[in-house]
Amino acid sequence: MIFFHPMDFLILIAFAVSIWAQFRVKGTFNRWAQVPNQSGMTGYDAARAMLDRNGLYDVPIEPVRGVLSDHYDPINRVVRLSEPVYYERSIAAVSVACHEVGHAIQHKVRYPMLVARHRIFPLVNFASGIAPLLLLAGFFFQAAGLFLLGVIFFSAAVAFQLITLPVEFNASSRARALMVSEGFITNEEERGVAKVLNAAALTYVAAALISVLELVKYIMIFRSSDE
């Protein structure tokens, strides 16, 4: 059945890991948000310096409301930083700010995985909306063709999650390397930066794991119904 399947046990475990990862990233951010960085730079200062030193003078930085709402907007080419990151002079603030600039640098150099993610986004946006409907319709009406189509569309959403992993890890690695080389942080402070960025990365890993397990579940259901 689609609702009660042996894979559900693993999916529940992955979901629990995802919730734990969300709590961990908030806790890690809050901890290192209390630790001032020795350079005295705010998140904005670090992001602006990192952008300028990579020739991205025309990419603006905007403050946005919320906590951990930081992101890079590739359509408008804007780095948006949450207010705690934009204004504060902490290890956490410069870590998150420089990570988002890492995405802007990826955009500039046309990092292959980022390009792939941008190209499949319209398909994924459509697929993620229609896949659940097709899966449910295929299951309730015992229509294998509809169910298979749902699996195919869901696969596109899973592919997007998997492509996101190297994009996020690469942005973090760019940020860490540049922060040290440019003197935004000291070698001793890199430990705190690593903890902040690794905690954030874990949330993407957990989300991808859930998606992969769900896809395996749907494939198993399809194969069993085809026998």
Side-chain angles (χ1 to χ4, degrees):
M1 294 179 65
I2 193 170
F3 294 112
F4 302 99
H5 190 274
M7 286 296 297
D8 288 336
F9 179 69
L10 292 177
I11 293 172
L12 283 173
I13 293 176
F15 186 71
V17 171
S18 177
I19 293 175
W20 171 77
Q22 293 289 342
F23 279 108
R24 184 183 175 191
V25 72
K26 290 179 182 178
T28 303
F29 178 85
N30 289 336
R31 175 188 173 189
W32 291 97
Q34 304 303 315
V35 182
N37 61 72
Q38 293 185 32
S39 68
M41 302 179 86
T42 63
Y44 169 82
D45 294 334
R48 184 71 270 160
M50 192 168 164
L51 286 167
D52 292 348
R53 293 176 194 185
N54 283 275
L56 294 168
Y57 307 103
D58 59 336
V59 175
I61 306 168
E62 299 176 351
V64 292
R65 292 184 177 180
V67 178
L68 298 176
S69 53
D70 315 85
H71 63 279
Y72 170 66
D73 179 350
I75 297 176
N76 297 305
R77 297 187 72 233
V78 177
V79 172
R80 297 194 173 99
L81 302 178
S82 60
E83 292 178 346
V85 169
Y86 189 96
Y87 295 109
E88 296 300 324
R89 304 176 187 274
S90 66
I91 297 283
V94 296
S95 300
V96 173
C98 289
H99 171 85
E100 298 308 331
V101 174
H103 288 308
I105 296 172
Q106 288 175 333
H107 195 177
K108 176 187 176 183
V109 302
R110 296 187 61 79
Y111 176 60
M113 300 306 286
L114 184 70
V115 172
R117 190 171 74 165
H118 289 171
R119 286 180 177 173
I120 71 170
F121 180 75
L123 170 63
V124 170
N125 199 32
F126 171 76
S128 60
I130 197 171
L133 300 177
L134 292 170
L135 290 167
L136 285 171
F139 174 74
F140 283 118
F141 297 111
Q142 297 296 300
L146 279 179
F147 195 87
L148 177 59
L149 194 57
V151 171
I152 292 171
F153 277 118
F154 189 76
S155 297
V158 174
F160 184 82
Q161 294 271 20
L162 293 176
I163 290 172
T164 294
L165 294 180
V167 171
E168 294 299 326
F169 281 110
N170 179 265
S172 289
S173 107
R174 288 175 188 270
R176 287 175 62 180
L178 286 168
M179 288 168 74
V180 173
S181 65
E182 298 292 344
F184 299 172
I185 59 169
T186 64
N187 289 326
E188 292 76 20
E189 290 176 320
E190 190 177 4
R191 171 176 164 270
V193 172
K195 286 185 176 294
V196 172
L197 297 181
N198 289 342
L202 186 59
T203 62
Y204 292 100
V205 173
L209 178 60
I210 292 172
S211 296
V212 169
L213 291 175
E214 287 182 334
L215 177 60
V216 171
K217 169 186 171 179
Y218 296 140
I219 292 173
M220 290 174 67
I221 292 173
F222 175 77
R223 291 186 64 182
S224 64
S225 66
D226 202 38
E227 292 177 355

